Short mmCIF file of all heavy atoms in Angstrom, two decimals:
data_model
loop_
_atom_site.label_atom_id
_atom_site.label_comp_id
_atom_site.label_asym_id
_atom_site.label_seq_id
_atom_site.Cartn_x
_atom_site.Cartn_y
_atom_site.Cartn_z
N GLY A 1 21.46 -2.94 -9.31
CA GLY A 1 21.71 -2.63 -10.72
C GLY A 1 22.38 -1.30 -10.92
O GLY A 1 23.04 -1.07 -11.94
N GLY A 2 22.18 -0.37 -9.98
CA GLY A 2 22.85 0.92 -10.06
C GLY A 2 22.26 1.87 -11.08
O GLY A 2 21.20 1.62 -11.67
N THR A 3 22.97 2.96 -11.30
CA THR A 3 22.50 4.02 -12.19
C THR A 3 22.19 3.49 -13.58
O THR A 3 21.13 3.80 -14.15
CB THR A 3 23.55 5.14 -12.29
OG1 THR A 3 23.74 5.71 -10.99
CG2 THR A 3 23.09 6.23 -13.24
N CYS A 4 23.08 2.69 -14.15
CA CYS A 4 22.91 2.25 -15.53
C CYS A 4 21.63 1.47 -15.72
O CYS A 4 20.84 1.75 -16.63
CB CYS A 4 24.11 1.40 -15.95
SG CYS A 4 23.99 0.77 -17.64
N VAL A 5 21.39 0.50 -14.88
CA VAL A 5 20.24 -0.39 -15.06
C VAL A 5 18.94 0.28 -14.60
O VAL A 5 17.90 0.15 -15.26
CB VAL A 5 20.45 -1.71 -14.27
CG1 VAL A 5 19.18 -2.56 -14.27
CG2 VAL A 5 21.60 -2.49 -14.88
N ILE A 6 18.99 1.02 -13.50
CA ILE A 6 17.77 1.51 -12.87
C ILE A 6 17.31 2.86 -13.43
O ILE A 6 16.12 3.08 -13.67
CB ILE A 6 17.96 1.63 -11.35
CG1 ILE A 6 18.48 0.31 -10.76
CG2 ILE A 6 16.66 2.05 -10.67
CD1 ILE A 6 17.61 -0.88 -11.07
N ARG A 7 18.25 3.79 -13.62
CA ARG A 7 17.85 5.15 -13.97
C ARG A 7 18.81 5.82 -14.95
O ARG A 7 18.97 7.03 -14.95
CB ARG A 7 17.75 6.00 -12.70
CG ARG A 7 19.03 6.09 -11.89
CD ARG A 7 18.84 6.74 -10.55
NE ARG A 7 18.07 5.89 -9.68
CZ ARG A 7 18.59 4.91 -8.91
NH1 ARG A 7 19.91 4.69 -8.95
NH2 ARG A 7 17.83 4.18 -8.14
N GLY A 8 19.48 4.99 -15.76
CA GLY A 8 20.44 5.56 -16.69
C GLY A 8 20.42 4.89 -18.04
O GLY A 8 19.41 4.93 -18.76
N CYS A 9 21.53 4.25 -18.39
CA CYS A 9 21.75 3.74 -19.75
C CYS A 9 20.58 2.92 -20.28
O CYS A 9 20.10 3.15 -21.40
CB CYS A 9 23.01 2.87 -19.79
SG CYS A 9 24.39 3.46 -18.82
N ILE A 10 20.13 1.93 -19.52
CA ILE A 10 19.15 0.99 -20.04
C ILE A 10 17.78 1.63 -20.24
O ILE A 10 17.25 1.62 -21.36
CB ILE A 10 19.06 -0.26 -19.15
CG1 ILE A 10 20.41 -0.97 -19.07
CG2 ILE A 10 17.97 -1.20 -19.66
CD1 ILE A 10 20.97 -1.41 -20.40
N PRO A 11 17.16 2.20 -19.20
CA PRO A 11 15.84 2.81 -19.45
C PRO A 11 15.90 3.98 -20.42
O PRO A 11 14.97 4.20 -21.21
CB PRO A 11 15.38 3.26 -18.05
CG PRO A 11 16.62 3.32 -17.24
CD PRO A 11 17.53 2.27 -17.79
N LYS A 12 17.02 4.72 -20.39
CA LYS A 12 17.15 5.85 -21.33
C LYS A 12 17.21 5.35 -22.77
O LYS A 12 16.55 5.91 -23.65
CB LYS A 12 18.40 6.65 -20.99
CG LYS A 12 18.68 7.83 -21.91
CD LYS A 12 20.01 8.45 -21.60
CE LYS A 12 21.15 7.48 -21.90
NZ LYS A 12 22.49 8.05 -21.56
N LYS A 13 17.99 4.29 -23.02
CA LYS A 13 18.10 3.77 -24.39
C LYS A 13 16.75 3.21 -24.86
O LYS A 13 16.40 3.31 -26.04
CB LYS A 13 19.18 2.70 -24.45
CG LYS A 13 19.58 2.28 -25.88
CD LYS A 13 20.27 3.38 -26.61
CE LYS A 13 20.70 2.99 -28.03
NZ LYS A 13 21.75 1.96 -28.07
N LEU A 14 15.98 2.64 -23.94
CA LEU A 14 14.64 2.15 -24.31
C LEU A 14 13.73 3.32 -24.70
O LEU A 14 12.93 3.21 -25.63
CB LEU A 14 14.03 1.35 -23.17
CG LEU A 14 14.72 0.01 -22.88
CD1 LEU A 14 14.15 -0.62 -21.61
CD2 LEU A 14 14.59 -0.95 -24.06
N LEU A 15 13.89 4.45 -24.01
CA LEU A 15 13.14 5.65 -24.41
C LEU A 15 13.60 6.14 -25.78
O LEU A 15 12.78 6.60 -26.59
CB LEU A 15 13.34 6.77 -23.38
CG LEU A 15 12.57 6.64 -22.06
CD1 LEU A 15 12.97 7.77 -21.11
CD2 LEU A 15 11.06 6.68 -22.30
N VAL A 16 14.90 6.05 -26.04
CA VAL A 16 15.42 6.43 -27.36
C VAL A 16 14.78 5.58 -28.44
O VAL A 16 14.33 6.08 -29.48
CB VAL A 16 16.96 6.30 -27.40
CG1 VAL A 16 17.47 6.43 -28.83
CG2 VAL A 16 17.61 7.35 -26.52
N TYR A 17 14.70 4.26 -28.21
CA TYR A 17 14.08 3.37 -29.20
C TYR A 17 12.62 3.75 -29.42
O TYR A 17 12.13 3.72 -30.56
CB TYR A 17 14.18 1.92 -28.74
CG TYR A 17 15.57 1.33 -28.80
CD1 TYR A 17 16.02 0.44 -27.82
CD2 TYR A 17 16.45 1.66 -29.83
CE1 TYR A 17 17.29 -0.10 -27.88
CE2 TYR A 17 17.72 1.12 -29.89
CZ TYR A 17 18.14 0.24 -28.91
OH TYR A 17 19.40 -0.31 -28.96
N GLY A 18 11.91 4.09 -28.35
CA GLY A 18 10.52 4.50 -28.50
C GLY A 18 10.39 5.75 -29.34
O GLY A 18 9.52 5.86 -30.22
N SER A 19 11.28 6.72 -29.08
CA SER A 19 11.28 7.96 -29.85
C SER A 19 11.61 7.70 -31.31
O SER A 19 10.98 8.27 -32.22
CB SER A 19 12.31 8.92 -29.24
OG SER A 19 12.41 10.11 -29.98
N GLN A 20 12.58 6.81 -31.57
CA GLN A 20 12.95 6.49 -32.95
C GLN A 20 11.81 5.77 -33.68
O GLN A 20 11.61 5.98 -34.88
CB GLN A 20 14.20 5.62 -32.95
CG GLN A 20 15.47 6.36 -32.56
CD GLN A 20 16.66 5.44 -32.43
OE1 GLN A 20 16.52 4.23 -32.25
NE2 GLN A 20 17.86 6.01 -32.51
N ALA A 21 11.07 4.95 -32.95
CA ALA A 21 9.94 4.25 -33.57
C ALA A 21 8.89 5.25 -34.05
O ALA A 21 8.32 5.10 -35.14
CB ALA A 21 9.32 3.26 -32.57
N CYS A 22 8.66 6.28 -33.24
CA CYS A 22 7.70 7.32 -33.65
C CYS A 22 8.19 8.04 -34.90
O CYS A 22 7.41 8.29 -35.83
CB CYS A 22 7.51 8.32 -32.52
SG CYS A 22 6.65 7.67 -31.09
N THR A 23 9.48 8.36 -34.94
CA THR A 23 10.03 9.04 -36.10
C THR A 23 9.91 8.18 -37.35
O THR A 23 9.56 8.66 -38.44
CB THR A 23 11.51 9.39 -35.85
OG1 THR A 23 11.61 10.24 -34.71
CG2 THR A 23 12.12 10.10 -37.05
N ALA A 24 10.18 6.88 -37.20
CA ALA A 24 10.08 5.96 -38.34
C ALA A 24 8.65 5.89 -38.88
O ALA A 24 8.43 5.83 -40.09
CB ALA A 24 10.57 4.57 -37.94
N LEU A 25 7.69 5.91 -37.99
CA LEU A 25 6.29 5.87 -38.42
C LEU A 25 5.92 7.14 -39.19
O LEU A 25 5.19 7.09 -40.18
CB LEU A 25 5.38 5.69 -37.21
CG LEU A 25 5.44 4.31 -36.53
CD1 LEU A 25 4.60 4.31 -35.26
CD2 LEU A 25 4.94 3.22 -37.48
N HIS A 26 6.43 8.27 -38.74
CA HIS A 26 6.16 9.52 -39.45
C HIS A 26 6.82 9.53 -40.83
O HIS A 26 6.32 10.16 -41.76
CB HIS A 26 6.65 10.71 -38.62
CG HIS A 26 5.78 11.04 -37.45
ND1 HIS A 26 4.47 11.45 -37.59
CD2 HIS A 26 6.02 10.99 -36.12
CE1 HIS A 26 3.94 11.67 -36.40
NE2 HIS A 26 4.86 11.40 -35.48
N ASP A 27 7.94 8.82 -40.97
CA ASP A 27 8.65 8.76 -42.25
C ASP A 27 8.09 7.70 -43.19
O ASP A 27 8.49 7.63 -44.36
CB ASP A 27 10.13 8.46 -42.02
CG ASP A 27 10.88 9.66 -41.45
OD1 ASP A 27 10.32 10.77 -41.48
OD2 ASP A 27 12.01 9.47 -40.98
N ALA A 28 7.18 6.88 -42.68
CA ALA A 28 6.72 5.72 -43.46
C ALA A 28 6.10 6.12 -44.80
O ALA A 28 6.23 5.40 -45.79
CB ALA A 28 5.72 4.91 -42.63
N GLU A 29 5.43 7.24 -44.83
CA GLU A 29 4.75 7.67 -46.06
C GLU A 29 5.72 7.82 -47.22
O GLU A 29 5.37 7.57 -48.38
CB GLU A 29 3.99 8.98 -45.82
CG GLU A 29 3.11 9.41 -46.98
CD GLU A 29 2.30 10.65 -46.67
OE1 GLU A 29 2.30 11.10 -45.51
OE2 GLU A 29 1.67 11.19 -47.61
N ALA A 30 6.96 8.24 -46.91
CA ALA A 30 7.96 8.40 -47.96
C ALA A 30 8.29 7.08 -48.64
O ALA A 30 8.79 7.06 -49.77
CB ALA A 30 9.24 9.02 -47.39
N TYR A 31 7.99 5.97 -47.97
CA TYR A 31 8.26 4.64 -48.51
C TYR A 31 6.98 3.95 -49.00
O TYR A 31 6.95 2.74 -49.22
CB TYR A 31 8.94 3.77 -47.45
CG TYR A 31 10.31 4.28 -47.08
CD1 TYR A 31 10.49 5.11 -45.99
CD2 TYR A 31 11.42 3.96 -47.85
CE1 TYR A 31 11.74 5.60 -45.66
CE2 TYR A 31 12.68 4.44 -47.53
CZ TYR A 31 12.83 5.26 -46.44
OH TYR A 31 14.07 5.75 -46.12
N GLY A 32 5.93 4.76 -49.15
CA GLY A 32 4.68 4.23 -49.68
C GLY A 32 3.84 3.50 -48.67
O GLY A 32 2.91 2.76 -49.04
N ILE A 33 4.11 3.69 -47.39
CA ILE A 33 3.34 3.05 -46.33
C ILE A 33 2.41 4.08 -45.73
O ILE A 33 2.85 5.11 -45.20
CB ILE A 33 4.26 2.46 -45.25
CG1 ILE A 33 5.24 1.47 -45.88
CG2 ILE A 33 3.46 1.79 -44.14
CD1 ILE A 33 6.34 1.01 -44.94
#
């Protein structure tokens, strides 16, 4: 799979999604959640 699949683009982007999910949860109160 190489750098992208094993230790680059793919796992990094999944970490980005995890980080964004945390940010969205912190913002939830602004939307009444």
Side-chain angles (χ1 to χ4, degrees):
T3 299
C4 179
V5 171
I6 307 304
R7 59 189 70 86
C9 321
I10 300 302
K12 178 187 65 182
K13 191 67 179 294
L14 292 173
L15 284 175
V16 169
Y17 288 143
S19 177
Q20 289 174 339
C22 291
T23 300
L25 290 173
H26 285 297
D27 287 346
E29 187 176 352
Y31 295 95
I33 303 170

